Amino acid sequence: MRVSVNSHKLALALVLVSLVLLNGCANLAAVRTFADDTKKLSAAFDPMLAGASASCTEKYIRKKLITSTHFDPAAVEEAAAELCGPIEADNQVVAQLNLLLEQYADTLAALADDKLPSYKAEFDGLTTSLGKVRKAGSQESLVSPDKLGAVGALSEFLSRIATQHLQKEAIRDLLNHEAAIQTVTNALKEYATLNYRAWLRDERRENEALYRSLDRSNETLAANYLKTVLLNENRKIAEREKTIDGFVTAVDQFQKANAEIRRKFEHQDDKELIAELASFAKEVSRLRQQIHGAF
């Protein structure tokens, strides 16, 4: 059977295209690893948001339970919800910011696998809401107004990224939003270190004051039991404070890895990049262990 020259050329072209695609996929292994650990970092922040609201409400309920002559559980819960409402409102905005980090990781992972990204959320109004969130104990914005534009640009890019992008081009475009992702992760870090830590410290001080007040109680058995409860609560608070330090370390390592993978995108087998990703993975793993023990 005679095979035409054109057939040979077509076969050769198909082989070459296959090799390019295979090599391209292999070269994106670092992106996949980075995206996976970034999703784990985002997931580790969620318990802190829930813990922030819990710290406020439990502190109030615990104080009323110990000091009230006539304790009305329903009324106390309602009052706690009203008192802690502003914290819950801020948490909902910051949760969206954390979701933006998760979507960043999900999109990187999808593109690395040459798939259409799956959008889990819309971020309309995020920058407006974010501009209203304050650092604990001050009127200073969690994210400065001059940095909100970068966050908005990232959320807009994630909402419109389309299949007309070439795989590697789309990933490179996403990594180029480094300033925005730096702002997002810095905001999460500050919310943990300033807001969440402040509420934990308030809860611990309240517990210590209640503990001392029990020395004046005539009900020795009840007082001793409540002292044990308060002591255990403060131990939990100490463990949760450690997770804040772990989160800060993991975010710092994330930012280094994010910058490194952007710089060395075309050389994903680079030893320094691999070492940076390994350090990031190590800190995320340590943080997840801390979260598991504290919540």
Side-chain angles (χ1 to χ4, degrees):
M1 178 183 295
R2 297 180 64 185
V3 180
S4 70
V5 174
N6 286 337
S7 296
H8 277 302
K9 288 182 178 179
L10 177 60
L12 179 59
L14 290 172
V15 170
L16 289 174
V17 168
S18 299
L19 288 173
V20 168
L21 290 174
L22 288 171
N23 287 335
C25 291
N27 288 337
L28 295 174
V31 173
R32 292 190 194 91
T33 299
F34 175 68
D36 184 52
D37 287 323
T38 299
K39 284 191 280 187
K40 292 175 183 176
L41 174 64
S42 175
F45 184 76
D46 286 334
M48 295 187 190
L49 287 174
S53 294
S55 180
C56 179
T57 56
E58 288 174 10
K59 180 185 72 170
Y60 182 83
I61 293 172
R62 196 180 298 122
K63 180 178 181 179
K64 290 297 182 181
L65 180 64
I66 293 174
T67 61
S68 298
T69 304
H70 302 289
F71 181 75
D72 183 343
V76 169
E77 285 185 2
E78 185 177 347
E82 183 176 353
L83 175 69
C84 302
I87 295 176
E88 182 60 31
D90 283 352
N91 281 353
Q92 290 177 8
V93 178
V94 178
Q96 254 197 311
L97 196 64
N98 188 40
L99 197 60
L100 189 60
L101 175 62
E102 181 189 4
Q103 187 65 71
Y104 175 74
D106 277 342
T107 305
L108 282 175
L111 290 170
D113 290 331
D114 202 17
K115 296 176 182 176
L116 180 65
S118 173
Y119 306 114
K120 293 184 178 178
E122 294 294 335
F123 299 102
D124 291 343
L126 174 59
T127 54
T128 301
S129 300
L130 189 58
K132 298 176 183 177
V133 178
R134 301 286 180 261
K135 296 178 181 178
S138 77
Q139 289 302 307
E140 185 180 355
S141 297
L142 181 69
V143 178
S144 59
D146 61 308
K147 294 182 179 178
L148 289 173
V151 175
L154 173 60
S155 62
E156 194 273 336
F157 179 82
L158 286 171
S159 68
R160 67 177 170 79
I161 191 169
T163 53
Q164 67 262 26
H165 277 79
L166 295 174
Q167 181 186 20
K168 294 182 73 171
E169 179 188 340
I171 294 174
R172 190 183 292 104
D173 285 348
L174 186 51
L175 291 172
N176 281 337
H177 286 265
E178 185 178 5
I181 209 66
Q182 187 98 351
T183 297
V184 168
T185 49
N186 279 340
L188 295 178
K189 188 167 64 171
E190 291 206 343
Y191 197 71
T193 56
L194 299 179
N195 295 42
Y196 184 41
R197 195 190 296 277
W199 297 321
L200 287 177
R201 286 175 175 170
D202 284 348
E203 186 181 5
R204 185 176 66 247
R205 281 194 294 267
E206 187 70 63
N207 286 348
E208 289 168 352
L210 290 171
Y211 189 96
R212 291 191 297 271
S213 73
L214 290 170
D215 290 332
R216 300 188 294 272
S217 174
N218 295 323
E219 300 290 339
T220 306
L221 182 60
N224 288 341
Y225 172 75
L226 289 172
K227 282 184 175 181
T228 302
V229 170
L230 292 171
L231 185 63
N232 286 334
E233 289 299 324
N234 275 1
R235 285 173 179 159
K236 290 179 184 178
I237 290 170
E239 290 301 313
R240 288 170 186 175
E241 285 180 317
K242 290 178 183 177
T243 67
I244 296 173
D245 296 329
F247 182 73
V248 168
T249 301
V251 168
D252 288 343
Q253 196 60 53
F254 160 82
Q255 291 176 345
K256 291 178 183 177
N258 192 64
E260 193 74 359
I261 202 167
R262 177 176 175 268
R263 281 194 299 268
K264 297 179 177 176
F265 182 70
E266 297 296 341
H267 306 282
Q268 295 195 24
D269 56 351
D270 179 87
K271 290 182 179 179
E272 291 181 359
L273 172 58
I274 292 171
E276 206 71 71
L277 293 176
S279 295
F280 175 42
K282 179 181 178 181
E283 294 303 334
V284 169
S285 177
R286 183 179 299 169
L287 172 61
R288 294 177 75 199
Q289 289 176 1
Q290 290 176 327
I291 292 289
H292 179 72
F295 291 93

